[in-house]
Amino acid sequence: MTRIDDTFARLKAEGKKAFVAYVMAGDPDYDTSVEIVKALPGAGVDIIELGMPFTDPMADGETIQLAGQRALEGGQTLDKTLQIARELRKGDDKTPIVMMGYYNPIYSRGVDTFLAQAKEAGIDGLIIVDLPPEEDDELCIPAQKAGLNFIRLATPTTDGKRLPKVLQNTSGFVYYVSITGITGAAEADAAQVAPEVARIKAATDLPVIVGFGIKTPAAAQSIAGIADGCVVGSAIVAQIAAGKPVAEIADFVAGLAAGAHRA
């Protein structure tokens, strides 16, 4: 059982849906990023997605692309991203941390070295959006062996033939992308998402969490209501980009979390 498994078991026992928050590591700067991450559990966040800044993102919309650029220009590195996790772990041994991003920084570090460092830093899972199931031997299988969940994305274009392949080595939860496109580009529609979530849940016992296009507490509530929880990223990152104080960012996140938990 990982922290992710424990969290979903606890939420199920409480009759609650999960709220997952994404932030870009090192945005707007390292010290503020540490403060924001430390504030998330108190704001009601059940799982933290920690973005790994990368120069050539493919699935990210403008808001998250710019966050990655700010972080990189501020000197954020993979080592500093792992250090943010360590800073959280000094006072919080329960909230799961999932690193989300692209394979290149991990490949450059070396898979075995990265996995050992991630485990030591208190990372619980990985979402690597540019590694398809055909490349599972590259990182997915080694990550599972190291005790990390490898979380896969399913999308509106993941048809019945493809879905079993996507689910084959997935663990922790399934991340359903609610829209066809990039992050922050459109609003998720619960009526359209519901049958897709049901289709995935019929094929796996894993929790299904919906992300992309969720910007308000009402949207968080409606989407979490038809899944096992929801993810909000761009809307939170936009608050950071606007230069809001950490307390205001935490209040914004708390509203979203409350929406998801009302579902």
Side-chain angles (χ1 to χ4, degrees), residues 20-27 33-34 36-37 40 47-53 76 78 80-86 88 96-101 123 125-127:
V20 184
Y22 171 98
V23 294
M24 180 66 73
D27 179 37
S33 185
V34 170
I36 291 168
V37 168
L40 294 177
I47 298 172
I48 297 170
E49 282 184 13
L50 191 59
M52 295 185 284
Q76 188 68 14
L78 185 55
K80 287 183 177 180
T81 299
L82 291 168
Q83 188 58 35
I84 290 174
R86 293 188 191 98
L88 178 69
I97 307 172
V98 175
M99 291 182 72
M100 184 172 186
I123 301 296
L126 301 173
I127 302 174

Side-chain angles (χ1 to χ4, degrees), residues 6 12 25 36 43 55 63 82 96 114 148 154 168 180 185 193 198 202 209 213 247 259:
D6 289 343
K12 186 175 182 180
I36 291 168
T55 52
T63 301
L82 291 168
F114 169 78
L148 298 175
Q168 184 174 319
T180 304
V193 172
I209 303 299

Side-chain angles (χ1 to χ4, degrees), residues 152 154-156 174-178 193 196-197 200 208-212:
R152 190 86 66 193
T155 75
V174 179
Y175 187 133
Y176 180 70
V177 176
S178 68
V193 172
E196 292 298 301
V197 171
I200 296 167
V208 179
I209 303 299
V210 177
F212 285 45

Side-chain angles (χ1 to χ4, degrees), residues 110-230:
V111 167
D112 292 342
T113 299
F114 169 78
L115 290 175
Q117 291 173 340
K119 189 71 177 174
E120 176 271 327
I123 301 296
D124 302 288
L126 301 173
I127 302 174
I128 306 301
V129 299
D130 56 348
L131 274 182
E134 287 75 14
E135 306 293 338
D136 274 358
D137 289 341
E138 194 80 19
L139 179 63
C140 174
I141 302 302
Q144 307 267 35
K145 288 179 179 177
L148 298 175
N149 290 125
F150 198 87
I151 296 142
R152 190 86 66 193
L153 302 176
T155 75
T157 60
T158 306
D159 60 20
K161 183 179 179 181
R162 182 66 174 168
L163 185 60
K165 188 76 172 176
V166 168
L167 296 174
Q168 184 174 319
N169 291 314
T170 299
S171 64
F173 60 91
V174 179
Y175 187 133
Y176 180 70
V177 176
S178 68
I179 58 174
T180 304
I182 54 176
T183 58
E187 292 194 17
D189 183 337
Q192 292 181 353
V193 172
E196 292 298 301
V197 171
R199 181 170 68 91
I200 296 167
K201 289 183 73 65
T204 181
D205 293 330
L206 290 171
V208 179
I209 303 299
V210 177
F212 285 45
I214 302 165
K215 302 175 182 178
T216 66
Q221 182 175 356
S222 65
I223 294 295
I226 52 90
D228 296 297
C230 68

